Amino acid sequence: MTPNAPELTQRWPAPRKIPVDLRRGKRRDSILRILDVLVSTQVKVAVLIHRDEPPENRIDEYKTTLTVSERTTVATDNDVVSLELRAPGGSDLERWYPGAHLDLYLPSGRIRQYSLCGDPADRRCYRIAVRRIPDGGGGSNEVHDELPVGTVVGVRGPRNAFGFVEPGRIERAKRVHFVAGGIGITPILPMVREAERMGLDWSLMYVGRERRTLPFLEELSSFGDRVTIRTDDEYGLPAANDLLPPNVRSGDAIYCCGPVPMMDLITACVRNEPGVEVHAERFSAAPVVDGRPFRIQLARTGQVIDVAADQTALDAVLRVNPKAPYSCRQGFCGTCMVHVSDGDVDHRDNSLSPAERAAGKMLLCVSRSNSPCLTVTT
Ligand code: FES
C-alpha cells in the first residue's frame, strides 16, 4: 500500500454492487475458443480503432451532450491533453467503471472512442485524454485544436469492453499486473486506482519512447515502487520479459493496453504459463478467427457481396460501399448494425441483446454467417 492509500479510499469508493453488465452475454467469442486450443492462457482482446469517416455517414443519435469544462496538458511533450466533460446543468452523469470508454461525437462529425481516465466516483465529470497524432485521421488534431473550454460535444456511453471489476474475474486473481504503452495508460489508470483501493497485490509497467511522452506521470508517482517506468531512449525497445515481473504465475491477471506488438510480446511471454489471464485493449482491429466464406445480398439493390474467410463482413461491404457506417470495429458501438431478413447469423459480438438478435439485428464488423448467404438491409 502506498502512503496515499487512505485518501484514495475516500476518493475512489468501490461500487456498492459489483456491476453485472460490464460484459453483456456469457458466450465466449471464437477468438477465445481458438486461443484456448492454442495456449493454456486466457486472452481477451478489445479493440479501439481511430479512423476518419465522412460526416454524412455517421449515426447522428447520441445519448447526451456535454460541455468541455477543463483542458489540461498531461505530458511534458505537450502532445497529450486531458478534457473534463460535464453536463450543461451540472447534473449527475451516468455511472461508469474502470475500463469504460465514451463515443465522442466531434463537431466535424467524426466519432472517436476514448477511454475514461478520471474518477468513477465523480458523477459530475468524465475525463478523457488524447494524444495528438499529427498524421492520423484528424480526430486527435480536432480535440487538441478545436475543442476549447465551453465546446458542446455529443457523447454516447459510457460502455465497457475492457472490464476490470467483474464477478469471477478479479476476485480470483491473486495478483494483478498492468502494462500500459503510452496513451494506453488511460483505461489502466482507473484500474490501478481500483486495485489499490481493493488492497490487491498489483504492479504497473508503463512503457514509451521517452518520459516526456508519457501522460499522468505525476498522478502515478503517488503509487511509489508499484509503478515502473521504462522508456526506449533509456533501455532500448523492450523484450517480452521486460514487460512483466519475472515471477508471473498461475492465478495472476494481466491487464494491458497499448500497441499490437506490445500485446503480442506479453502474450508470447505467458504462453506457457497455465492459469494466467491476459486482458488486452489494443488500437487496431482483431483478425478474423475461424472464418468461413459467405455472401451478403443487399435487400434494397439485390447486389451480392462475397465475404472471404479472413475478411470481416464490414470490410466486404465497405469495398462496394465506402460510405457504409462504422466506428469501433469491435462490436460494441452499434454503428455498423444491419437488419438480416434471411439467413443464419453467427453472432460474435457481446453487445446485442437476445431480443435484438431475434429481431434480425447483426453487427457487420464482427459477426458472420452460418448459412451460405445473408440478406441484409443496411
Ligand atoms: S463498428 Fe462498432 S459495432 Fe461495428
Side-chain angles (χ1 to χ4, degrees):
M1 299 284 283
T2 71
N4 285 351
E7 179 190 340
L8 293 172
T9 302
Q10 290 174 354
R11 293 187 58 238
W12 297 72
R16 286 202 181 85
K17 184 176 169 210
I18 297 292
V20 295
D21 60 347
L22 290 177
R23 289 179 198 274
R24 282 183 279 173
K26 304 285 186 201
R27 188 177 64 82
R28 302 173 67 204
D29 62 24
S30 57
I31 191 169
L32 294 181
R33 293 198 296 271
I34 295 300
L35 285 166
D36 273 354
V37 172
L38 295 175
V39 298
S40 55
T41 303
Q42 283 188 312
V43 180
K44 291 200 174 184
V45 175
V47 179
L48 291 182
I49 191 162
H50 305 282
R51 176 170 171 172
D52 274 343
E53 300 162 48
E56 65 269 24
N57 296 326
R58 307 301 170 70
I59 289 179
D60 290 331
E61 61 170 348
Y62 44 77
K63 289 181 67 175
T64 190
T65 54
L66 302 179
T67 302
V68 178
S69 62
E70 191 171 321
R71 292 174 56 100
T72 309
T73 301
V74 290
T76 53
D77 69 355
N78 294 324
D79 276 343
V80 183
V81 64
S82 80
L83 268 56
E84 291 190 2
L85 306 171
R86 297 175 190 269
S91 56
D92 277 2
L93 301 170
E94 192 172 333
R95 189 181 296 279
W96 64 281
Y97 300 95
H101 71 274
L102 289 181
D103 293 346
L104 197 65
Y105 289 66
L106 298 171
S108 66
R110 296 182 178 99
I111 305 171
R112 291 293 184 272
Q113 288 82 41
Y114 295 113
S115 295
L116 289 169
C117 59
D119 178 355
D122 184 354
R123 300 290 304 278
R124 298 296 176 96
C125 172
Y126 292 146
R127 183 176 72 163
I128 60 172
V130 180
R131 166 161 288 284
R132 184 193 290 277
I133 311 293
D135 53 354
S140 67
N141 286 331
E142 185 173 351
V143 170
H144 274 256
D145 300 333
E146 299 173 38
L147 292 189
V149 170
T151 304
V152 175
V153 292
V155 165
R156 190 167 60 163
R159 287 180 287 177
N160 205 320
F162 187 36
F164 176 62
V165 180
E166 189 172 355
R169 166 136 332 135
I170 196 67
E171 291 86 347
R172 74 168 184 254
K174 295 183 178 65
R175 300 185 307 170
V176 184
H177 308 294
F178 300 102
V179 186
I183 195 64
I185 192 65
T186 50
I188 299 294
L189 191 55
M191 292 184 184
V192 302
R193 300 276 190 189
E194 185 66 9
E196 180 75 2
R197 189 208 61 76
M198 294 170 74
L200 297 176
D201 182 2
W202 66 272
S203 65
L204 166 64
M205 173 62 73
Y206 188 14
V207 301
R209 296 190 312 276
E210 305 168 57
R211 285 186 81 91
R212 67 190 188 92
T213 67
L214 297 178
F216 299 117
L217 285 179
E218 195 175 324
E219 282 190 40
L220 289 167
S221 66
S222 65
F223 296 112
D225 59 7
R226 285 195 184 277
V227 177
T228 302
I229 309 296
R230 189 191 191 286
T231 55
D232 300 346
D233 64 334
E234 282 185 79
Y235 301 101
L237 287 173
N241 290 336
D242 295 324
L243 295 171
L244 293 169
N247 56 348
V248 172
R249 57 181 181 262
S250 178
D252 289 1
I254 298 167
Y255 287 79
C256 49
C257 182
V260 173
M262 187 188 89
M263 243 76 75
D264 290 344
L265 283 174
I266 291 169
T267 303
C269 186
V270 299
R271 190 175 297 273
N272 297 316
E273 296 289 342
V276 176
E277 292 186 1
V278 180
H279 309 274
E281 184 165 79
R282 62 187 186 184
F283 299 113
S284 61
V288 174
V289 175
D290 199 18
R292 286 184 306 218
F294 63 100
R295 281 171 286 131
I296 287 176
Q297 181 168 38
L298 302 179
R300 288 203 177 93
T301 63
Q303 184 176 13
V304 175
I305 301 168
D306 288 319
V307 182
D310 61 351
Q311 182 183 39
T312 67
L314 175 64
D315 282 335
V317 169
L318 285 170
R319 204 182 61 236
V320 300
N321 176 17
K323 293 187 174 182
Y326 70 93
S327 182
C328 72
R329 286 180 175 265
Q330 190 209 347
F332 59 74
C333 75
T335 308
C336 67
M337 188 162 61
V338 296
H339 180 264
V340 178
S341 56
D342 190 38
D344 180 15
V345 179
D346 174 12
H347 290 285
R348 297 187 175 195
D349 65 276
N350 286 318
S351 300
L352 295 180
S353 66
E356 288 171 321
R357 292 181 179 186
K361 305 296 185 190
M362 172 189 179
L363 298 179
L364 284 177
C365 63
V366 291
S367 294
R368 304 185 65 81
S369 178
N370 292 318
S371 52
C373 185
L374 297 176
T375 303
V376 309
T377 303
T378 57

